Amino acid sequence: MPADLTLKTTVSVGGMTCAACVRRVENALREVPGVTEVAVNLATARATVSHNTGWAGVEALRQVVADQGYEFLGIPDDAREDPIGAAREKELKDLKARFTVGIVLSGVIFLGSMQHWFPFLVGIPRQPLLMVLFFLTTPVVFWVGSRFFIGAIKAARQRTTDMNTLVAVGALAAWLYSSLATFFPRFFAGAEIMPHVYYDGAAFIVTLIILGRLLEARAKGKTSQAIQRLMGLKAKTARVVREGAETDIPIEEVAKDDLVVVRPGEKIPTDGVVVAGNSSVDESMLTGESMPVAKQPGTEVFAATINRTGSFTFRATRIGAETALAQIIRLVEEAQGSKAPIQRLADKVASIFVPVVFGIGLLTFAVWYFLVPDPVFSRALLNFISVLVIACPCALGLATPTAVMVGTGLGAENGILLKGGESLENAYRLQTVVFDKTGTLTRGEPEVTDILPVSGVTPAEVLQAALDIEAVSEHPLARAVLERGKREDLLAEAVTGFEAVSGLGAKAVRDGKAMLLGNRRFLEGEGIAGGDLEDEAARLAGEGKTSVFVAEGGRVLGLLGFSDQPKPSAAAAVAELKGMGLKVAMITGDNAGTAKAMGKTLGIDRILAEVLPGDKAAEIRRLREAGEVVAMVGDGINDAPALTAADIGIAIGAGTDVAIEASDITLMKDDLLAVPRAIRLSFETMRTIRQNLFWAFIYNIIGIPIAAGVLYPLWGILLNPEFAAAAMAMSSVSVVSNSLRLRRRWRRIL
C-alpha cells in the first residue's frame, strides 16, 4: 500500500457546544502526526480525519480530544449501540433534570426578588430574605449551570475561550455582585453604590440557557432521524440452511455463501442472489420507488428490503458493512459530517468571536461607569453581563451542519445520496446539466432494427459477419447483435485476433480475411469507403438510429441500424431542468445526425456528438473552462472520468459501482426525474443554510448593541441579563428549527 495513500477515520466526540469548540477540536486533531485534513461536525458530534497510512493512530486522536477537555466516544460501529445516540439520550435526561430544578428554584427566587410586588412577602425582613435567595441561587448557578463552568475551565486551561466562558462569567458576575451586596452591604454604602441584588438574573441566565440546550438537543435529534431510520431497517436475525436444516441465527453470524430462506412479510437480512423461488420485494427504503420489484433465480436482493408475496432462498454475497444498506448509511453519515465551503466564513468568525465579545463587554462597562452622567456601578455591571450572555456563537456552529443533516437525510429517504456539503453548494450554483446518452437517457438496451446489405450480399451474410465479430464483445451493441442472431437461428463462427477499439468499433480475422465492424470514422481510418450505404446511414441517423458498418476483406458488406429507446422519464426530466433555468446538453459517441434526432425527441438543443469515451472528460473540462458550472449525469464505467471532471457528478444507481464511487450525487433508482429533484433539494438546503447564517449573524449584530445600551439614550431601553439569556437560547433553537422546516418545504416540492 503506498505510504501517501489518503484514508479517512471518523470518530465521535462528546461535549462540544458551539462553533468555538468545533474549531478547537479541529485545530488539535490537525496536530496529530500524519493527519492531513479534519472536518468536525457540531450537529453529528463527529470528526472525520483524513490521514496517510503512517499516521499516529486512533489513540493519538483519543489523547488530543481528551487534552482539549472533550469526550472521545470512539469509532462509530453499526454492530453496537451508537455512542452518540446513547450520549444524546443521557444528555437529554440530564438537561431535563437540571432545567426542572432550575425553573422551580428560579421561580421562587423571582418571587423573593420582587418582594414589593407581593403583599404576602412585604412583612419579611430584607436581610434574611436576601440570605434565603443566596442559598436558593447558589445551587442553580453552580449545579444547574455546572457544565458552563466546567467548559470555561477547560477552555482556560487551553488558553482560549468559548461560549461556556461567556455564560459562566456572566452568571458568576451577577451571583458574585449579589452575594457581596447581601453579606457586605456596608462596602457598597461606603462606595456610594446602591446594593441591588440580581439573584433572579443569575438564576434565569443558566436556567434559560439550559432550556435552550434542551430544545436544541431535541431538535438536533430530529435532524438525524434519517440515519436512525436507516439503521432501524436492519433485520435482527436470519434463517439459514445449516446441515440441511433451517436455523434462525443473529444477523451478525451470517457468513458469505450461506443459503438464506425468506418468507412472505419478512425483511431480507443481507445482500445476495436468489437461487430458488419467486417473489416480489419492496425496495422503497433503498430507492424511494414504491412499486415492488419481481425476484427470480439469478436476480439480486438487498438487506432490509421487505419480501411481499412468495418464499425464496438466496445465497448471501455481501454481509455486514458490505451490504448496500450499510454503504448507504456510510455515505449519508459522511455527507452529514462534511462541511459546505460556506461554513468556512462562520468558522472564521467563530475563531475571533469570543475575544471580541469580551472586548465589547469591557468597553460597555467602561462607558457606563466612567462616561455616563450619574454612573451606576450595578447598571454598568448588568450591561456587561448582558453583552456576554446574549452573544452566542452556537447558532453559527449549527447553521450549516443541521441543514446539511436534514437535506442529506431527506435525500436518502428518497433514493438520492448526496456526498456532502460541498456537493450541495456546487449543485446550488449549477448552470449546465450534461447527460450521457446510452444507458442514461436511453434504456441501454439497443435492438437491431435494420440490416441493409450491398448488392450481391444477403442480410443473413451481413448479420453472420457481425455476429462472428461481436461474439466475444461486451459492448451493448454486441448484445443486440447476439440477440438478433439468436432470433435468426444463427451461430457464431470462430474468429481470431479480436480487438475492440474504444468508441469506434471492433476488428477480427475470419478465414484469413480482416473483418471490421464500426462507425464511418472507423472505416475511413482503415481506408474503406461506405459507398452507396452512406445515404442509408444518413437516413437512419435522421430517425435517431445508430448506424454500424460491416466490412470484410477491405470492402463493405452492409449496414446495421440500432435503435435504443429513451427512458420514459427522460423528456420530462429535461423539461423540468429547463424550467429551473438550467441549460441541458447531451454527450454521445453517436454521429451528429443520430444525436440530433434523439435530442429533438427529448427537447435537448445542445448536442456534443461523436465524442470518444476517453474524450468525455475533456469535453466537460472545456465547458468548465468556458465559465460554466457543470453537472455530468452518467451510469457506466466510461462515464467515471467525466463524472469526476464535472463540478457535480450524478450517477444513476442502476449503473456501475465505479460510476457511483466517482460521483457526488447517486440516484438509487433508474428514474431521471430524480436529477431535477436532487438539484432542487440542493437548492432548498443551500437556501436554508443561507437563512440560518443570516439569522445567526443578524442576531448578534442587533442583539449585542442593544445589550450594550445603544437604545437607552433614545428610548430608555436596556436589556436585563435574563432576557439576554432567553434571546441567546432561542437563537440556536431558531436555527435548528429552520433547518427542520426543510422537510415541510420538500414535501411541497414532491
PDB file of all heavy atoms in Angstrom, residues 617-648:
ATOM      1  N   ALA A 617     -14.423  13.413 -20.611  1.00  0.00           N
ATOM      2  CA  ALA A 617     -13.912  14.242 -19.518  1.00  0.00           C
ATOM      3  C   ALA A 617     -13.339  15.553 -20.048  1.00  0.00           C
ATOM      4  O   ALA A 617     -13.527  16.618 -19.444  1.00  0.00           O
ATOM      5  CB  ALA A 617     -12.860  13.482 -18.713  1.00  0.00           C
ATOM      6  N   ALA A 618     -12.636  15.478 -21.189  1.00  0.00           N
ATOM      7  CA  ALA A 618     -12.065  16.681 -21.787  1.00  0.00           C
ATOM      8  C   ALA A 618     -13.163  17.654 -22.210  1.00  0.00           C
ATOM      9  O   ALA A 618     -13.018  18.877 -22.072  1.00  0.00           O
ATOM     10  CB  ALA A 618     -11.181  16.302 -22.980  1.00  0.00           C
ATOM     11  N   GLU A 619     -14.281  17.124 -22.733  1.00  0.00           N
ATOM     12  CA  GLU A 619     -15.400  17.983 -23.125  1.00  0.00           C
ATOM     13  C   GLU A 619     -16.005  18.679 -21.904  1.00  0.00           C
ATOM     14  O   GLU A 619     -16.368  19.857 -21.956  1.00  0.00           O
ATOM     15  CB  GLU A 619     -16.477  17.159 -23.834  1.00  0.00           C
ATOM     16  CG  GLU A 619     -16.117  16.744 -25.252  1.00  0.00           C
ATOM     17  CD  GLU A 619     -16.050  17.936 -26.200  1.00  0.00           C
ATOM     18  OE1 GLU A 619     -16.830  18.882 -26.032  1.00  0.00           O
ATOM     19  OE2 GLU A 619     -15.212  17.917 -27.112  1.00  0.00           O
ATOM     20  N   ILE A 620     -16.122  17.952 -20.804  1.00  0.00           N
ATOM     21  CA  ILE A 620     -16.643  18.537 -19.575  1.00  0.00           C
ATOM     22  C   ILE A 620     -15.707  19.635 -19.066  1.00  0.00           C
ATOM     23  O   ILE A 620     -16.155  20.720 -18.663  1.00  0.00           O
ATOM     24  CB  ILE A 620     -16.845  17.453 -18.497  1.00  0.00           C
ATOM     25  CG1 ILE A 620     -17.891  16.423 -18.944  1.00  0.00           C
ATOM     26  CG2 ILE A 620     -17.252  18.088 -17.169  1.00  0.00           C
ATOM     27  CD1 ILE A 620     -19.260  16.983 -19.171  1.00  0.00           C
ATOM     28  N   ARG A 621     -14.410  19.362 -19.105  1.00  0.00           N
ATOM     29  CA  ARG A 621     -13.437  20.375 -18.661  1.00  0.00           C
ATOM     30  C   ARG A 621     -13.491  21.610 -19.560  1.00  0.00           C
ATOM     31  O   ARG A 621     -13.337  22.744 -19.075  1.00  0.00           O
ATOM     32  CB  ARG A 621     -12.026  19.784 -18.635  1.00  0.00           C
ATOM     33  CG  ARG A 621     -11.766  18.871 -17.448  1.00  0.00           C
ATOM     34  CD  ARG A 621     -10.291  18.543 -17.303  1.00  0.00           C
ATOM     35  NE  ARG A 621      -9.843  17.656 -18.350  1.00  0.00           N
ATOM     36  CZ  ARG A 621      -9.855  16.325 -18.267  1.00  0.00           C
ATOM     37  NH1 ARG A 621     -10.273  15.734 -17.172  1.00  0.00           N
ATOM     38  NH2 ARG A 621      -9.420  15.581 -19.263  1.00  0.00           N
ATOM     39  N   ARG A 622     -13.732  21.397 -20.842  1.00  0.00           N
ATOM     40  CA  ARG A 622     -13.824  22.530 -21.765  1.00  0.00           C
ATOM     41  C   ARG A 622     -15.007  23.426 -21.403  1.00  0.00           C
ATOM     42  O   ARG A 622     -14.908  24.657 -21.430  1.00  0.00           O
ATOM     43  CB  ARG A 622     -13.971  22.021 -23.199  1.00  0.00           C
ATOM     44  CG  ARG A 622     -13.967  23.124 -24.253  1.00  0.00           C
ATOM     45  CD  ARG A 622     -14.103  22.551 -25.657  1.00  0.00           C
ATOM     46  NE  ARG A 622     -15.357  21.818 -25.822  1.00  0.00           N
ATOM     47  CZ  ARG A 622     -16.530  22.422 -26.044  1.00  0.00           C
ATOM     48  NH1 ARG A 622     -16.603  23.744 -26.132  1.00  0.00           N
ATOM     49  NH2 ARG A 622     -17.622  21.685 -26.187  1.00  0.00           N
ATOM     50  N   LEU A 623     -16.128  22.826 -21.042  1.00  0.00           N
ATOM     51  CA  LEU A 623     -17.289  23.600 -20.623  1.00  0.00           C
ATOM     52  C   LEU A 623     -16.995  24.394 -19.355  1.00  0.00           C
ATOM     53  O   LEU A 623     -17.393  25.557 -19.219  1.00  0.00           O
ATOM     54  CB  LEU A 623     -18.487  22.681 -20.394  1.00  0.00           C
ATOM     55  CG  LEU A 623     -19.084  21.994 -21.635  1.00  0.00           C
ATOM     56  CD1 LEU A 623     -20.171  21.007 -21.214  1.00  0.00           C
ATOM     57  CD2 LEU A 623     -19.647  23.022 -22.601  1.00  0.00           C
ATOM     58  N   ARG A 624     -16.289  23.759 -18.429  1.00  0.00           N
ATOM     59  CA  ARG A 624     -15.958  24.442 -17.180  1.00  0.00           C
ATOM     60  C   ARG A 624     -14.993  25.598 -17.419  1.00  0.00           C
ATOM     61  O   ARG A 624     -15.102  26.661 -16.808  1.00  0.00           O
ATOM     62  CB  ARG A 624     -15.351  23.453 -16.188  1.00  0.00           C
ATOM     63  CG  ARG A 624     -16.331  22.394 -15.689  1.00  0.00           C
ATOM     64  CD  ARG A 624     -15.676  21.486 -14.665  1.00  0.00           C
ATOM     65  NE  ARG A 624     -15.309  22.242 -13.467  1.00  0.00           N
ATOM     66  CZ  ARG A 624     -14.540  21.776 -12.501  1.00  0.00           C
ATOM     67  NH1 ARG A 624     -14.014  20.559 -12.612  1.00  0.00           N
ATOM     68  NH2 ARG A 624     -14.244  22.513 -11.443  1.00  0.00           N
ATOM     69  N   GLU A 625     -14.033  25.372 -18.324  1.00  0.00           N
ATOM     70  CA  GLU A 625     -13.080  26.436 -18.652  1.00  0.00           C
ATOM     71  C   GLU A 625     -13.766  27.633 -19.306  1.00  0.00           C
ATOM     72  O   GLU A 625     -13.268  28.758 -19.233  1.00  0.00           O
ATOM     73  CB  GLU A 625     -11.976  25.886 -19.558  1.00  0.00           C
ATOM     74  CG  GLU A 625     -11.021  24.944 -18.840  1.00  0.00           C
ATOM     75  CD  GLU A 625     -10.134  24.153 -19.792  1.00  0.00           C
ATOM     76  OE1 GLU A 625     -10.284  24.364 -21.037  1.00  0.00           O
ATOM     77  OE2 GLU A 625      -9.327  23.334 -19.326  1.00  0.00           O
ATOM     78  N   ALA A 626     -14.911  27.367 -19.931  1.00  0.00           N
ATOM     79  CA  ALA A 626     -15.686  28.451 -20.535  1.00  0.00           C
ATOM     80  C   ALA A 626     -16.508  29.212 -19.493  1.00  0.00           C
ATOM     81  O   ALA A 626     -17.259  30.131 -19.856  1.00  0.00           O
ATOM     82  CB  ALA A 626     -16.607  27.895 -21.614  1.00  0.00           C
ATOM     83  N   GLY A 627     -16.380  28.829 -18.225  1.00  0.00           N
ATOM     84  CA  GLY A 627     -17.049  29.551 -17.152  1.00  0.00           C
ATOM     85  C   GLY A 627     -18.346  28.941 -16.682  1.00  0.00           C
ATOM     86  O   GLY A 627     -19.038  29.518 -15.838  1.00  0.00           O
ATOM     87  N   GLU A 628     -18.715  27.774 -17.189  1.00  0.00           N
ATOM     88  CA  GLU A 628     -19.962  27.138 -16.801  1.00  0.00           C
ATOM     89  C   GLU A 628     -19.746  26.219 -15.596  1.00  0.00           C
ATOM     90  O   GLU A 628     -18.707  25.571 -15.474  1.00  0.00           O
ATOM     91  CB  GLU A 628     -20.540  26.334 -17.965  1.00  0.00           C
ATOM     92  CG  GLU A 628     -20.902  27.168 -19.188  1.00  0.00           C
ATOM     93  CD  GLU A 628     -21.569  26.367 -20.290  1.00  0.00           C
ATOM     94  OE1 GLU A 628     -22.558  25.689 -19.978  1.00  0.00           O
ATOM     95  OE2 GLU A 628     -21.100  26.418 -21.458  1.00  0.00           O
ATOM     96  N   VAL A 629     -20.733  26.198 -14.706  1.00  0.00           N
ATOM     97  CA  VAL A 629     -20.750  25.232 -13.604  1.00  0.00           C
ATOM     98  C   VAL A 629     -21.553  24.031 -14.099  1.00  0.00           C
ATOM     99  O   VAL A 629     -22.737  24.144 -14.390  1.00  0.00           O
ATOM    100  CB  VAL A 629     -21.374  25.824 -12.333  1.00  0.00           C
ATOM    101  CG1 VAL A 629     -21.336  24.807 -11.197  1.00  0.00           C
ATOM    102  CG2 VAL A 629     -20.657  27.107 -11.926  1.00  0.00           C
ATOM    103  N   VAL A 630     -20.876  22.863 -14.182  1.00  0.00           N
ATOM    104  CA  VAL A 630     -21.400  21.739 -14.954  1.00  0.00           C
ATOM    105  C   VAL A 630     -21.679  20.529 -14.069  1.00  0.00           C
ATOM    106  O   VAL A 630     -20.868  20.165 -13.215  1.00  0.00           O
ATOM    107  CB  VAL A 630     -20.403  21.341 -16.071  1.00  0.00           C
ATOM    108  CG1 VAL A 630     -20.963  20.190 -16.910  1.00  0.00           C
ATOM    109  CG2 VAL A 630     -20.085  22.535 -16.960  1.00  0.00           C
ATOM    110  N   ALA A 631     -22.832  19.909 -14.328  1.00  0.00           N
ATOM    111  CA  ALA A 631     -23.142  18.597 -13.762  1.00  0.00           C
ATOM    112  C   ALA A 631     -23.105  17.579 -14.884  1.00  0.00           C
ATOM    113  O   ALA A 631     -23.579  17.832 -15.989  1.00  0.00           O
ATOM    114  CB  ALA A 631     -24.517  18.584 -13.102  1.00  0.00           C
ATOM    115  N   MET A 632     -22.526  16.420 -14.619  1.00  0.00           N
ATOM    116  CA  MET A 632     -22.492  15.311 -15.567  1.00  0.00           C
ATOM    117  C   MET A 632     -23.330  14.182 -15.008  1.00  0.00           C
ATOM    118  O   MET A 632     -23.151  13.771 -13.853  1.00  0.00           O
ATOM    119  CB  MET A 632     -21.048  14.844 -15.790  1.00  0.00           C
ATOM    120  CG  MET A 632     -20.909  13.564 -16.614  1.00  0.00           C
ATOM    121  SD  MET A 632     -21.385  13.796 -18.348  1.00  0.00           S
ATOM    122  CE  MET A 632     -21.413  12.078 -18.910  1.00  0.00           C
ATOM    123  N   VAL A 633     -24.264  13.676 -15.824  1.00  0.00           N
ATOM    124  CA  VAL A 633     -25.120  12.569 -15.418  1.00  0.00           C
ATOM    125  C   VAL A 633     -24.759  11.354 -16.256  1.00  0.00           C
ATOM    126  O   VAL A 633     -24.828  11.398 -17.487  1.00  0.00           O
ATOM    127  CB  VAL A 633     -26.610  12.909 -15.607  1.00  0.00           C
ATOM    128  CG1 VAL A 633     -27.483  11.776 -15.067  1.00  0.00           C
ATOM    129  CG2 VAL A 633     -26.968  14.225 -14.930  1.00  0.00           C
ATOM    130  N   GLY A 634     -24.348  10.259 -15.610  1.00  0.00           N
ATOM    131  CA  GLY A 634     -23.950   9.058 -16.339  1.00  0.00           C
ATOM    132  C   GLY A 634     -24.156   7.815 -15.508  1.00  0.00           C
ATOM    133  O   GLY A 634     -24.551   7.874 -14.345  1.00  0.00           O
ATOM    134  N   ASP A 635     -23.862   6.667 -16.132  1.00  0.00           N
ATOM    135  CA  ASP A 635     -24.086   5.410 -15.430  1.00  0.00           C
ATOM    136  C   ASP A 635     -22.988   4.381 -15.631  1.00  0.00           C
ATOM    137  O   ASP A 635     -22.869   3.451 -14.847  1.00  0.00           O
ATOM    138  CB  ASP A 635     -25.420   4.786 -15.851  1.00  0.00           C
ATOM    139  CG  ASP A 635     -25.370   4.205 -17.252  1.00  0.00           C
ATOM    140  OD1 ASP A 635     -24.787   4.863 -18.143  1.00  0.00           O
ATOM    141  OD2 ASP A 635     -25.878   3.085 -17.445  1.00  0.00           O
ATOM    142  N   GLY A 636     -22.204   4.490 -16.660  1.00  0.00           N
ATOM    143  CA  GLY A 636     -21.275   3.422 -16.979  1.00  0.00           C
ATOM    144  C   GLY A 636     -19.841   3.692 -16.553  1.00  0.00           C
ATOM    145  O   GLY A 636     -19.496   4.786 -16.088  1.00  0.00           O
ATOM    146  N   ILE A 637     -18.989   2.665 -16.703  1.00  0.00           N
ATOM    147  CA  ILE A 637     -17.578   2.796 -16.358  1.00  0.00           C
ATOM    148  C   ILE A 637     -16.928   3.905 -17.165  1.00  0.00           C
ATOM    149  O   ILE A 637     -16.131   4.692 -16.646  1.00  0.00           O
ATOM    150  CB  ILE A 637     -16.843   1.456 -16.579  1.00  0.00           C
ATOM    151  CG1 ILE A 637     -17.339   0.405 -15.583  1.00  0.00           C
ATOM    152  CG2 ILE A 637     -15.340   1.632 -16.466  1.00  0.00           C
ATOM    153  CD1 ILE A 637     -16.759  -0.966 -15.785  1.00  0.00           C
ATOM    154  N   ASN A 638     -17.288   3.983 -18.455  1.00  0.00           N
ATOM    155  CA  ASN A 638     -16.670   5.006 -19.292  1.00  0.00           C
ATOM    156  C   ASN A 638     -17.135   6.426 -18.947  1.00  0.00           C
ATOM    157  O   ASN A 638     -16.609   7.385 -19.465  1.00  0.00           O
ATOM    158  CB  ASN A 638     -16.893   4.714 -20.777  1.00  0.00           C
ATOM    159  CG  ASN A 638     -18.359   4.675 -21.158  1.00  0.00           C
ATOM    160  OD1 ASN A 638     -19.233   4.912 -20.334  1.00  0.00           O
ATOM    161  ND2 ASN A 638     -18.642   4.377 -22.410  1.00  0.00           N
ATOM    162  N   ASP A 639     -18.135   6.540 -18.065  1.00  0.00           N
ATOM    163  CA  ASP A 639     -18.582   7.853 -17.621  1.00  0.00           C
ATOM    164  C   ASP A 639     -17.808   8.346 -16.401  1.00  0.00           C
ATOM    165  O   ASP A 639     -17.880   9.533 -16.072  1.00  0.00           O
ATOM    166  CB  ASP A 639     -20.079   7.836 -17.277  1.00  0.00           C
ATOM    167  CG  ASP A 639     -20.954   7.549 -18.480  1.00  0.00           C
ATOM    168  OD1 ASP A 639     -20.579   7.973 -19.587  1.00  0.00           O
ATOM    169  OD2 ASP A 639     -22.003   6.895 -18.323  1.00  0.00           O
ATOM    170  N   ALA A 640     -17.118   7.456 -15.705  1.00  0.00           N
ATOM    171  CA  ALA A 640     -16.476   7.816 -14.445  1.00  0.00           C
ATOM    172  C   ALA A 640     -15.508   8.996 -14.572  1.00  0.00           C
ATOM    173  O   ALA A 640     -15.552   9.918 -13.752  1.00  0.00           O
ATOM    174  CB  ALA A 640     -15.771   6.603 -13.837  1.00  0.00           C
ATOM    175  N   PRO A 641     -14.607   9.042 -15.579  1.00  0.00           N
ATOM    176  CA  PRO A 641     -13.725  10.217 -15.688  1.00  0.00           C
ATOM    177  C   PRO A 641     -14.499  11.521 -15.886  1.00  0.00           C
ATOM    178  O   PRO A 641     -14.125  12.557 -15.328  1.00  0.00           O
ATOM    179  CB  PRO A 641     -12.869   9.889 -16.922  1.00  0.00           C
ATOM    180  CG  PRO A 641     -12.899   8.401 -17.031  1.00  0.00           C
ATOM    181  CD  PRO A 641     -14.260   8.005 -16.578  1.00  0.00           C
ATOM    182  N   ALA A 642     -15.573  11.479 -16.680  1.00  0.00           N
ATOM    183  CA  ALA A 642     -16.381  12.680 -16.899  1.00  0.00           C
ATOM    184  C   ALA A 642     -17.115  13.086 -15.627  1.00  0.00           C
ATOM    185  O   ALA A 642     -17.260  14.274 -15.328  1.00  0.00           O
ATOM    186  CB  ALA A 642     -17.373  12.454 -18.034  1.00  0.00           C
ATOM    187  N   LEU A 643     -17.599  12.115 -14.859  1.00  0.00           N
ATOM    188  CA  LEU A 643     -18.254  12.407 -13.589  1.00  0.00           C
ATOM    189  C   LEU A 643     -17.296  13.112 -12.638  1.00  0.00           C
ATOM    190  O   LEU A 643     -17.662  14.051 -11.934  1.00  0.00           O
ATOM    191  CB  LEU A 643     -18.775  11.115 -12.947  1.00  0.00           C
ATOM    192  CG  LEU A 643     -19.926  10.404 -13.656  1.00  0.00           C
ATOM    193  CD1 LEU A 643     -20.185   9.041 -13.008  1.00  0.00           C
ATOM    194  CD2 LEU A 643     -21.199  11.229 -13.626  1.00  0.00           C
ATOM    195  N   THR A 644     -16.057  12.645 -12.633  1.00  0.00           N
ATOM    196  CA  THR A 644     -15.038  13.238 -11.772  1.00  0.00           C
ATOM    197  C   THR A 644     -14.644  14.631 -12.257  1.00  0.00           C
ATOM    198  O   THR A 644     -14.380  15.529 -11.449  1.00  0.00           O
ATOM    199  CB  THR A 644     -13.804  12.327 -11.704  1.00  0.00           C
ATOM    200  OG1 THR A 644     -14.193  11.019 -11.274  1.00  0.00           O
ATOM    201  CG2 THR A 644     -12.764  12.878 -10.750  1.00  0.00           C
ATOM    202  N   ALA A 645     -14.611  14.821 -13.574  1.00  0.00           N
ATOM    203  CA  ALA A 645     -14.191  16.106 -14.144  1.00  0.00           C
ATOM    204  C   ALA A 645     -15.221  17.205 -13.940  1.00  0.00           C
ATOM    205  O   ALA A 645     -14.876  18.392 -13.952  1.00  0.00           O
ATOM    206  CB  ALA A 645     -13.903  15.942 -15.636  1.00  0.00           C
ATOM    207  N   ALA A 646     -16.495  16.849 -13.753  1.00  0.00           N
ATOM    208  CA  ALA A 646     -17.561  17.832 -13.611  1.00  0.00           C
ATOM    209  C   ALA A 646     -17.548  18.458 -12.223  1.00  0.00           C
ATOM    210  O   ALA A 646     -16.979  17.918 -11.273  1.00  0.00           O
ATOM    211  CB  ALA A 646     -18.920  17.175 -13.872  1.00  0.00           C
ATOM    212  N   ASP A 647     -18.179  19.630 -12.106  1.00  0.00           N
ATOM    213  CA  ASP A 647     -18.355  20.227 -10.784  1.00  0.00           C
ATOM    214  C   ASP A 647     -19.207  19.326  -9.907  1.00  0.00           C
ATOM    215  O   ASP A 647     -18.973  19.193  -8.710  1.00  0.00           O
ATOM    216  CB  ASP A 647     -19.019  21.606 -10.915  1.00  0.00           C
ATOM    217  CG  ASP A 647     -18.151  22.617 -11.628  1.00  0.00           C
ATOM    218  OD1 ASP A 647     -17.205  23.121 -11.010  1.00  0.00           O
ATOM    219  OD2 ASP A 647     -18.420  22.885 -12.826  1.00  0.00           O
ATOM    220  N   ILE A 648     -20.216  18.702 -10.515  1.00  0.00           N
ATOM    221  CA  ILE A 648     -21.082  17.746  -9.832  1.00  0.00           C
ATOM    222  C   ILE A 648     -21.237  16.519 -10.717  1.00  0.00           C
ATOM    223  O   ILE A 648     -21.668  16.625 -11.863  1.00  0.00           O
ATOM    224  CB  ILE A 648     -22.476  18.329  -9.531  1.00  0.00           C
ATOM    225  CG1 ILE A 648     -22.386  19.395  -8.471  1.00  0.00           C
ATOM    226  CG2 ILE A 648     -23.458  17.257  -9.092  1.00  0.00           C
ATOM    227  CD1 ILE A 648     -22.098  18.845  -7.079  1.00  0.00           C
TER     228      ILE A 648
END
